[in-house]
Amino acid sequence: MDDCVFCKIVAKQIPATVVHEDEHTLAFMDIGQVNPGHVLVAVKKHADNIFALDDAQAAAVFRSAARVSRAIRDAFAPQGLSVYQANGKAAGQTVFHLHIHLVPRHEADGMELTWPVKNPPREKLVDYAERIKAKLL
Ligand code: AMP
Ligand code: ZN
């Protein structure tokens, strides 16, 4: 995609600090560094979001995320690690080229995601599950 910053990074048209590369994925340091060691794992072939991934990309991006996560753990010894991936503006996505955030975490590090649980009755869960199952390919 001509106007996509991560496509430009993949094409080496703009610089990035790369930590890992394979056939389908490129992992590089997030320029914002929510915590030291914050990495993005992106697919190489442009996909706007998770909905646009083919199976090979989907498998490869999580394989790379797991590999790089282990390296972050060993290099930074964080107390935890958050895996974050946004699809669409409403979900907080700002770069519309699929990527997974790997964020080393520490107690009280200021990173927050509110989690407004609704705890619906079981019938609702069954209804929601049936709607999803009817669409699974
Ligand atoms: P998201 O909100 O999930 O789409 O996250 C986009 C992320 O891309 C942000 O955390 C930015 O700091 C990061 N980012 C944007 N431009 C660059 C860049 N040129 N190199 C590295 N990270 C970038
Ligand atoms: Zn792109």
Side-chain angles (χ1 to χ4, degrees), residues 122-134:
R122 174 72 52 185
E123 310 85 75
K124 281 279 182 201
L125 301 185
V126 171
D127 174 48
Y128 298 157
E130 291 302 327
R131 286 166 58 182
I132 295 165
K133 282 157 63 180

Side-chain angles (χ1 to χ4, degrees), residues 54-110:
D54 63 33
D55 283 353
Q57 288 178 300
V61 77
F62 207 76
R63 183 179 58 220
S64 290
R67 286 191 65 188
V68 176
S69 291
R70 290 190 289 270
I72 294 170
R73 176 198 61 192
D74 293 348
F76 288 85
Q79 292 173 305
L81 184 137
S82 289
V83 177
Y84 174 77
Q85 197 274 313
N87 301 286
K89 190 164 170 282
Q93 187 175 12
T94 61
V95 176
F96 295 89
H97 176 131
L98 181 119
H99 56 280
I100 297 176
H101 292 260
L102 305 175
V103 187
R105 298 299 309 279
H106 307 277
E107 298 287 347
D109 63 9

Side-chain angles (χ1 to χ4, degrees), residues 6 10 12 16 25 27 36 50 60-61 88-89 91 100 105 114 117 137:
F6 288 178
V10 169
K12 310 237 180 316
T25 71
I50 196 169
V61 77
K89 190 164 170 282
I100 297 176
R105 298 299 309 279
T114 58
V117 293
L137 299 174

